[in-house]
Amino acid sequence: GKGYMEDRRPAANCDPYRVTCRIMKTTGQCLGCSLTSRIVKAPVSVLEVAGDGFAFGKDQGAGALANMTSYRNCVLAEYIWLDAAQTPRSKTMTMTSRPTKPEDLKVWNYDGSSTEQAEGHNSEVLLYPRAIFPDPFRGAPHVLVLAEAFNAWDGKPAIGNTRAECAKVMEKYASLDPWFGIEQEYTLMKPGKVGEKPTVPFGFNEDGSEPAPQGPYYCGAGNGVALGRPVADEHYVKCLQAGVKIAGINAEVMPGQWEYQIGPCRGIEMGDHLVMSRYIMLRITESHNCVCSFSPKPMEGDWNGAGCHTNFSVTPMRKEGGYDVIIKVCEAFGKVAAEHIAEYGEGNDKRLTGKHETCDINTFKYGVANRGASIRIPRETEKDGKGYMEDRRPAANCDPYRVTAKMIKTTGECLAA
């Protein structure tokens, strides 16, 4: 029942003195304020005069900012969310303090009609902070904020917000303490026309001809072999600086294709850290004249696709006798294979062909050390009689919230039966 209003009419080239003068004059006349009314100078904020250091804790909001004469000691928060196509979007807010927990941040909003999440006449979508990461681009004390999008008009998750449902599923099966580790494959592409998806991988020849067949590129080194290493290395370092649980990187089978691993992560943390890692990757490619593609089949022909192999375990799998539990869960996955495939990414049929280290999309099988299976059980897990399993079906463009929610749901129902 209180707040502010936004006049959307002033042009980009407007005179701010004339605009604010006209707004205030009309407002004053409307409210009956006298032109001779005394102006009371607002007190200087304690946060501002606290020295060169930065305050920590809850953001004091616009009221505190209005009382400052300078924002020099403020903190920048980059709010990041997923749009209707699961692509990260972001915008920056100036804050009075460095938040230490999501509750320290304010609920923000954005124009959902520009992200295909709302209509123009009712476009406000709210951003609820869920996780905080140090900003590896701006440095301390600035932060990256993973946020969930909710419709302002009905309070429901916005189009593209699958985290909300995943959080419910993870909470339901929290007693199983699910661990995940995702191997995110991606392909660096040469920029095409602005706004259009690129079609030529970074490692392909300038004249349009294809490079030498796959073989030397996987985990390779050297010029003409490890194509795109500066991007992969910078991404690795930035993720570490941001506190993202990145566990490793390697060059992949197709030239210009790489992989990084996120995890082990517990529960909802898996989706949060993978989304943040993808955002950081997109930011890095801005300065390397290339585009990061998460397409499951970026190049037609005898070239590997790109996946998101998902390593998974629950407490009973990690204990003695866990191997039998893994087999039981694999059997359960097979019974609902089509349901899982539906959650594992768009265009996956072009990748899961039975070739290039994949199992055909219409076939389900599991096996020890078998990279041509739907589910691979590591040799070490078989030897130890406990451990984890790897679902090799998720595509590189998969939604980690949908993937992990489906995996723990099937597992939970199986173990409860």
Side-chain angles (χ1 to χ4, degrees):
K2 59 183 179 180
Y4 67 96
M5 54 187 274
E6 175 191 43
D7 193 330
R8 297 178 60 83
R9 296 171 295 174
N13 64 349
C14 73
D15 178 344
Y17 298 113
R18 293 176 63 186
V19 170
T20 54
C21 178
R22 168 51 63 184
I23 289 177
M24 198 59 226
K25 181 178 179 182
T26 301
T27 301
Q29 292 173 343
C30 165
L31 300 180
C33 294
S34 169
L35 291 177
T36 59
S37 296
R38 185 168 65 92
I39 299 176
V40 179
K41 181 176 176 57
V44 177
S45 170
V46 174
L47 292 173
E48 181 186 0
V49 297
D52 293 332
F54 296 87
F56 287 79
K58 190 174 182 63
D59 176 45
Q60 300 302 305
L65 290 172
N67 289 338
M68 291 181 175
T69 57
S70 169
Y71 291 174
R72 181 170 56 89
N73 284 347
C74 286
V75 175
L76 304 183
E78 190 77 19
Y79 278 59
I80 299 156
W81 71 97
L82 296 176
D83 65 15
Q86 293 287 302
T87 300
R89 304 279 187 123
S90 74
K91 64 177 189 172
T92 314
M93 174 190 290
T94 300
M95 301 175 55
T96 60
S97 309
R98 201 283 188 193
T100 59
K101 56 184 183 297
E103 292 75 20
D104 289 340
L105 292 140
K106 68 177 289 186
V107 176
W108 207 6
N109 65 76
Y110 65 94
D111 171 21
S113 68
S114 296
T115 60
E116 299 184 9
Q117 292 169 297
E119 299 291 338
H121 66 276
N122 187 20
S123 66
E124 195 164 291
V125 179
L126 304 178
L127 290 173
Y128 286 84
R130 296 298 188 231
I132 301 171
F133 298 81
D135 189 334
F137 299 101
R138 296 185 174 113
H142 311 299
V143 295
L144 304 179
V145 179
L146 182 71
E148 268 192 78
F150 285 82
N151 302 329
W153 57 92
D154 61 8
K156 295 180 179 180
I159 299 170
N161 176 7
T162 54
R163 186 187 187 280
E165 181 59 29
C166 180
K168 294 178 182 178
V169 175
M170 291 298 174
E171 180 64 27
K172 181 177 180 179
Y173 297 108
S175 62
L176 290 175
D177 189 18
W179 293 11
F180 299 93
I182 290 184
E183 305 167 23
Q184 174 70 73
E185 294 178 337
Y186 62 94
T187 308
L188 297 176
M189 309 289 285
K190 297 179 181 179
K193 292 183 178 179
V194 174
E196 295 183 4
K197 290 183 178 181
T199 58
V200 181
F202 196 63
F204 278 50
N205 299 317
E206 291 293 340
D207 62 4
S209 63
E210 293 189 347
Q214 296 180 155
Y217 313 109
Y218 174 71
C219 295
N223 186 37
V225 177
L227 300 151
R229 188 184 295 278
V231 175
D233 280 349
E234 184 177 344
H235 176 257
Y236 200 163
V237 172
K238 292 295 187 187
C239 280
L240 289 173
Q241 293 172 342
V244 172
K245 290 186 173 182
I246 186 168
I249 64 171
N250 60 268
E252 267 301 334
V253 178
M254 189 178 89
Q257 189 178 74
W258 290 78
E259 175 191 295
Y260 62 86
Q261 302 90 37
I262 301 294
C265 294
R266 303 169 83 168
I268 196 72
E269 183 183 59
M270 184 67 257
D272 292 350
H273 281 245
L274 190 70
V275 167
M276 190 56 66
S277 74
R278 288 175 173 176
Y279 171 77
I280 291 173
M281 174 58 75
L282 296 179
R283 285 283 302 272
I284 286 171
T285 57
E286 293 173 5
S287 58
H288 286 274
N289 194 34
C290 62
V291 177
C292 177
S293 170
F294 294 116
S295 168
K297 188 65 175 177
M299 196 66 183
E300 297 293 338
D302 192 20
W303 303 103
N304 271 37
C308 253
H309 302 156
T310 303
N311 301 279
F312 168 68
S313 71
V314 291
T315 299
M317 295 179 182
R318 300 188 291 268
K319 292 182 176 180
E320 294 301 323
Y323 187 77
D324 292 336
V325 177
I326 291 173
I327 296 300
K328 182 178 180 179
V329 171
C330 285
E331 291 288 342
F333 275 35
K335 294 176 182 178
V336 290
E339 294 180 19
H340 278 245
I341 288 295
E343 302 294 324
Y344 282 5
E346 299 296 325
N348 215 5
D349 56 310
K350 294 182 179 180
R351 167 180 162 262
L352 298 180
T353 62
K355 300 178 181 179
H356 304 116
E357 300 178 288
T358 69
C359 181
D360 182 86
I361 195 169
N362 296 311
T363 303
F364 178 87
K365 60 183 178 181
Y366 62 90
V368 175
N370 185 354
R371 282 179 163 76
S374 310
I375 306 288
R376 179 183 70 89
I377 300 173
R379 182 71 68 187
E380 185 179 17
T381 294
E382 180 192 42
K383 178 182 176 181
D384 294 343
K386 60 183 178 180
Y388 68 97
M389 53 188 269
E390 175 194 43
D391 194 330
R392 297 178 59 80
R393 295 170 296 172
N397 64 357
C398 73
D399 175 349
Y401 297 116
R402 291 174 63 183
V403 169
T404 56
K406 188 61 180 178
M407 292 180 74
I408 188 59
K409 183 174 185 291
T410 301
T411 301
E413 292 173 346
C414 161
L415 299 182

